[in-house]
Amino acid sequence: MVAAAQNLLTLGPEAVLLKGGHIAISEDDIRSLKTPDGVTLDIKPAFLLGENMEVLQNGKTPVIMDVVVDVLCQRDVKTITLYPRPRLESKNTHGTGCTLSAALACALACDFGLEEAVAKATAFTHLGIETAPPIGKGHGPLNHLHSITKCVARPRTPGHPYPLIHRFIQITANMWKAYVQHDFVVRLGKGTLDRASFIHFIKQDYLYLKYYSRAYGLLAAKSHDDFKGIVAAAQIMLHIAGESTMHVSFCAQFGVTLEELETTPESLATMAYGSFLIDTGVRGDTSSLLMALAACILGYGEVGLWLKKEAGTNQTRGSSGKVIRTSSGWKTILVMIFKMVFRLRLSRDQNEIDGMLVKKPSRHGPLQIRLRLLGM
């Protein structure tokens, strides 16, 4: 496809966009693609999970999927742009080329640069296929109306169930990675974390759980629509109470008594973060508080899944003074994995994060777009 696009450039156009909807390849094929000397690749994926997004898979084993790629080549530009996305099994593909070209023309008319205009056009066409209702027999039309309501994220689809959280992680990728792969987490996974640092963490985490539980109490108090929000918040508080009991017995293995836990002074970080949650709960509405809580619950889930992977690849090594070095040390990391994934699974009976956009009539205006997390 790349060679074909470059050959088409020799016929005179300023740019060539080659559709790849009928050619299924793998992400490894894209990574192994070689280009001529002096030419670079710019890969702009859409609807594909990137680094540090295991939490969006709900702990399931990643599925190796076929992808399709559109190729953009431009005259006098030494960069070839690829637009990979998941391949869709659908009969609603009648008019994909017309849809893509019309969407591209609209994006260019809105003064987007060519690369961004192609990205928007290919994403529009992809969603048009994925969200199209079945009509008649044979190959039906795309859904061209999926974008008529302006919202902060793309529509929720079976192939892309958490578009808003996916978008948040994308636009804060460096910050998110520094958060979920903090040096503390990396050392814990490798088995090189100092015991004193770990004990400091588990003592402060016990104090943090109190803030965390109170924040859900505020969430229950502000859930005015029905009993669903109140019940969900109450269940989470009960889960946290159960986790705190486990936490006490876990700390005892490190010689930390309940009395010591209760009398440990809060660190500045614990106090600042906990106060932020409570302040957000007091000042803001349910959406604001849910967003503040989401960073913790999603971050812990991502960390837990990463540690689980590390626990399966690292081997124990004998050394004194470190936490994760012996069989009992591996028990420690497995308990921490459980705690972290436990916090990820505080929602609904299915024990999954339910991050969705809910379009709901507002008391103060027309269509209001609200984030719905944890089944609330």
Side-chain angles (χ1 to χ4, degrees):
M1 285 183 64
V2 171
Q6 290 178 313
N7 288 337
L8 286 172
L9 272 180
T10 63
L11 299 178
E14 292 297 317
V16 170
L17 175 62
L18 198 60
K19 283 180 68 222
H22 296 285
I23 302 176
I25 61 174
S26 70
E27 292 185 72
D28 288 338
D29 293 331
I30 298 174
R31 285 189 284 267
S32 62
L33 180 63
K34 298 186 183 301
T35 58
D37 292 340
V39 177
T40 59
L41 282 179
D42 183 13
I43 302 175
K44 298 182 181 296
F47 310 101
L48 296 170
L49 296 183
E51 188 180 19
N52 303 122
M53 292 187 184
E54 291 187 44
V55 68
L56 298 183
Q57 298 168 3
N58 291 321
K60 299 175 183 176
T61 302
V63 177
I64 300 176
M65 65 177 70
D66 290 336
V67 299
V68 294
V69 182
D70 295 332
V71 178
L72 174 65
C73 291
Q74 302 177 67
R75 182 180 300 279
D76 301 325
V77 176
K78 297 298 183 181
T79 298
I80 298 172
T81 309
L82 306 182
Y83 300 88
R85 60 192 180 279
R87 187 175 187 274
L88 299 174
E89 292 292 341
S90 173
K91 291 185 177 181
N92 298 300
T93 55
H94 185 67
T96 53
C98 297
T99 300
L100 177 62
S101 59
L104 178 57
C106 291
L108 291 171
C110 292
D111 291 330
F112 289 107
L114 181 58
E115 293 85 357
E116 188 175 0
V118 172
K120 290 183 177 296
T122 54
F124 178 88
T125 306
H126 179 92
L127 287 172
I129 298 172
E130 190 169 21
T131 62
I135 298 177
K137 298 180 180 180
H139 291 278
L142 284 67
N143 172 20
H144 296 106
L145 304 179
H146 66 78
S147 65
I148 60 173
T149 300
K150 188 175 183 179
C151 57
V152 296
R154 289 166 175 159
R156 179 183 168 98
T157 64
H160 198 231
Y162 309 112
L164 188 62
I165 299 301
H166 184 271
R167 178 61 178 157
F168 285 163
I169 295 176
Q170 271 189 327
I171 62 179
T172 61
N174 293 335
M175 188 184 302
W176 178 252
K177 183 174 182 177
Y179 170 46
V180 299
Q181 289 189 21
H182 189 276
D183 188 53
F184 177 95
V185 176
V186 173
R187 292 185 181 218
L188 181 63
K190 290 182 177 179
T192 59
L193 182 67
D194 289 336
R195 183 185 182 92
S197 297
F198 184 74
I199 291 176
H200 173 77
F201 164 74
I202 59 177
K203 290 162 69 173
Q204 292 299 316
D205 194 47
Y206 178 80
L207 301 175
Y208 167 71
L209 284 175
K210 296 180 180 179
Y211 282 110
Y212 196 57
S213 183
R214 293 179 192 130
Y216 277 103
L218 288 170
L219 193 59
K222 295 200 170 191
S223 298
H224 302 303
D225 292 341
D226 51 38
F227 277 103
K228 280 188 177 180
I230 297 172
V231 171
Q235 288 175 339
I236 289 176
M237 286 187 282
L238 290 173
H239 278 302
I240 296 170
E243 183 186 351
S244 67
T245 302
M246 181 188 72
H247 201 108
V248 171
S249 60
F250 180 58
C251 289
Q253 299 179 31
F254 288 84
V256 181
T257 65
L258 176 59
E259 181 181 3
E260 185 178 352
L261 280 174
E262 295 290 0
T263 57
T264 296
E266 293 181 7
S267 70
L268 185 60
T270 301
M271 186 182 301
Y273 188 34
S275 299
F276 163 74
L277 290 179
I278 301 302
D279 185 62
T280 302
V282 171
R283 292 170 178 262
D285 58 9
T286 54
S287 296
S288 300
L289 183 51
L290 278 171
M291 291 307 299
L293 292 166
C296 175
I297 200 167
L298 294 170
Y300 257 73
E302 184 68 32
V303 167
L305 293 169
W306 186 83
L307 283 175
K308 180 181 178 182
K309 187 165 56 178
E310 286 294 296
T313 56
N314 286 343
Q315 296 182 350
T316 57
R317 301 176 292 274
S319 175
S320 60
K322 303 296 182 183
V323 177
I324 316 298
R325 291 293 193 180
T326 63
S327 59
S328 62
W330 281 110
K331 181 180 178 182
T332 300
I333 195 171
L334 291 174
V335 171
M336 289 306 298
I337 292 169
F338 174 78
K339 281 173 62 63
M340 291 171 177
V341 179
F342 182 87
R343 291 189 194 176
L344 171 64
R345 297 174 173 177
L346 290 180
S347 62
R348 289 192 173 186
D349 296 333
Q350 300 97 324
N351 291 335
E352 294 181 355
I353 285 291
D354 182 18
M356 64 179 70
L357 283 174
V358 176
K359 298 174 183 176
K360 181 175 181 179
S362 170
R363 300 186 186 93
H364 309 292
L367 198 63
Q368 181 186 22
I369 297 174
R370 303 173 65 189
L371 172 68
R372 188 171 180 178
L373 285 171
L374 314 177
M376 298 180 192

